[in-house]
Amino acid sequence: MVGDDDIESRGGRVKRNGYSNNNTSSSSAYASSSAYVIEDTDSQWTSWLVPMIVVANIAVFIVVMYVNNCPGHRHMRLVGKCVARFLGRFSFEPLRENPLFGPSSSTLKKLGALEWTEVVVKHQGWRLITCIWLHAGVIHLLANMLSLAFIGIRLEQQFGFVRVGTIYLFSGFGASVVSSLFIRNNISVGASGALFGLLGAMLSELITNWTIYTNKAAAFFTLLVIIAINLAIGILPHVDNFAHIGGFITGFLLGFVLLSRPQFGWLERQNVPAGTLVKSKYKPYQYVLWLVSLVLLVVGLTVALVMLFRGENGNDHCRWCRYLSCISTSRWDCNGI
């Protein structure tokens, strides 16, 4: 998710094989996208939801550009000419206003961008959801949709559209809530909070299914490095790292709730002789992680929503948290961002 017209960072991806009776797994980093892709030759699901989400985001962006109508803005002479004017009303705002080749911030705000005043003072809570489907520009849209394709399609093939869709939407919602708690002066749009949720879910899936993977330590370390790099880049100005963190935490907890895999003994229960003691479906630690994560998720979102709609500023309760989103240097100043 980005504040105003800026784009979140992209890191790498981890690739590992899914489990089977003769399971092997390997880890390798790629620099092209923020993803941790699970591959399994015995995929049980056909991915259709993630492609539909990609199509929906593209369709929404086209509608936003139609509504934006850059040539119809009277103020455009003050900031420059529209970009790609041959596109007519679909042309982009001057690069001085939006370097990502997209609409104006006023158009994004009009169509559902996240802003504290609109959500809390004007009681427009629907913006916590609509902002997930808006993007600041073509670059922003392409980055998020390519990352979603890398992450989401394989996840959906592994775990089905219900669980992946739930993680995506709830992570986006959690990202919006955390962002609104800490950022009051800027608008924010984008699906990166939901994408970080999928990344967090992959980490918790690896942890909760730890015993069924080989080379898991290498996969775990690689994934942690990728997450750390993405979050570190989020401290650059105009990047909404609070949304990234909120989405990641939400997805991480949901991963324990929704992505646990049964033990091998449970999967093979139909092939064991009669009278043989069959293992429980999940290991005890998986049940513990499931319960703890569910409680933390429900309590955390409830407390955050109560604080948000009471008008409380998260920075008043956590003085150092502002450094999670932006750190001032000699090259830029975070004040007013």
Side-chain angles (χ1 to χ4, degrees):
M1 187 172 288
V2 296
D4 290 334
D5 304 323
D6 297 270
I7 187 172
E8 82 285 348
S9 62
R10 288 170 288 163
R13 63 174 178 173
V14 178
K15 181 179 179 182
R16 78 174 157 77
N17 294 331
Y19 74 92
S20 61
N21 289 337
N22 297 314
N23 175 61
T24 58
S25 65
S26 60
S27 303
S28 58
Y30 295 79
S32 59
S33 67
S34 243
Y36 169 57
V37 180
I38 303 172
E39 289 195 339
D40 191 344
T41 57
D42 298 322
S43 297
Q44 300 177 359
W45 304 87
T46 299
S47 177
W48 64 268
L49 179 62
V50 170
M52 287 296 294
I53 292 176
V54 172
V55 171
N57 275 277
I58 295 173
V60 169
F61 183 76
I62 293 174
V63 172
V64 170
M65 293 308 303
Y66 179 84
V67 174
N68 185 67
N69 189 18
C70 181
H73 293 173
R74 296 180 179 179
H75 70 275
M76 65 180 182
R77 295 179 181 177
L78 300 177
V79 295
K81 297 180 180 180
C82 298
V83 178
R85 284 176 289 172
F86 64 88
L87 295 175
R89 67 182 298 145
F90 293 97
S91 57
F92 309 120
E93 289 295 313
L95 295 181
R96 186 179 301 176
E97 179 174 350
N98 187 345
L100 299 179
F101 299 97
S104 65
S105 57
S106 60
T107 298
L108 291 171
K109 181 178 177 180
K110 175 183 176 182
L111 295 179
L114 186 65
E115 185 183 42
W116 182 87
T117 301
E118 302 294 328
V119 172
V120 178
V121 178
K122 298 183 179 180
H123 307 291
Q124 296 178 1
W126 48 269
R127 291 178 179 269
L128 296 171
I129 298 296
T130 56
C131 67
I132 304 170
W133 304 91
L134 298 173
H135 287 84
V138 172
I139 297 176
H140 187 203
L141 177 69
L142 288 177
N144 275 347
M145 294 306 100
L146 287 174
S147 296
L148 177 59
F150 277 118
I151 303 172
I153 290 178
R154 292 299 185 180
L155 259 185
E156 187 179 355
Q157 290 173 343
Q158 286 282 311
F159 296 102
F161 70 93
V162 174
R163 285 182 281 185
V164 172
T166 299
I167 293 172
Y168 181 86
L169 292 177
F170 270 88
S171 296
F173 178 75
S176 299
V177 172
V178 174
S179 175
S180 298
L181 271 176
F182 289 93
I183 297 179
R184 294 195 172 192
N185 300 324
N186 297 320
I187 67 171
S188 187
V189 295
S192 58
L195 293 173
F196 265 83
L198 295 180
L199 189 62
M202 290 177 179
L203 178 61
S204 56
E205 188 273 330
L206 177 62
I207 294 173
T208 193
N209 301 316
W210 186 262
T211 59
I212 65 176
Y213 293 112
T214 58
N215 296 330
K216 47 210 170 190
F220 181 74
F221 176 76
T222 304
L223 188 53
L224 283 182
V225 170
I226 291 170
I227 293 169
I229 291 174
N230 277 272
L231 291 176
I233 296 177
I235 65 176
L236 295 174
H238 301 294
V239 179
D240 188 356
N241 213 27
F242 285 119
H244 296 171
I245 295 171
F248 176 81
I249 294 175
T250 304
F252 181 71
L253 294 176
L254 278 173
F256 288 119
V257 176
L258 298 177
L259 302 185
S260 294
R261 296 180 185 268
Q263 299 186 71
F264 284 128
W266 172 266
L267 296 173
E268 300 170 351
R269 65 190 183 280
Q270 295 178 346
N271 300 324
V272 299
T276 304
L277 182 63
V278 179
K279 294 181 179 180
S280 63
K281 186 173 183 179
Y282 299 106
K283 290 182 175 295
Y285 78 86
Q286 290 178 304
Y287 286 109
V288 173
L289 289 173
W290 182 91
L291 180 60
V292 172
S293 298
L294 183 61
V295 171
L296 289 176
L297 181 66
V298 173
V299 173
L301 281 178
T302 301
V303 171
L305 284 170
V306 170
M307 290 178 60
L308 174 62
F309 286 103
R310 288 180 58 184
E312 296 189 32
N313 189 336
N315 294 291
D316 294 336
H317 300 275
C318 181
R319 298 289 183 180
W320 56 268
C321 283
R322 66 181 184 274
Y323 298 115
L324 295 175
S325 185
C326 185
I327 298 179
S328 297
T329 69
S330 58
R331 293 182 178 273
W332 62 74
D333 183 9
C334 295
N335 294 325
I337 290 180

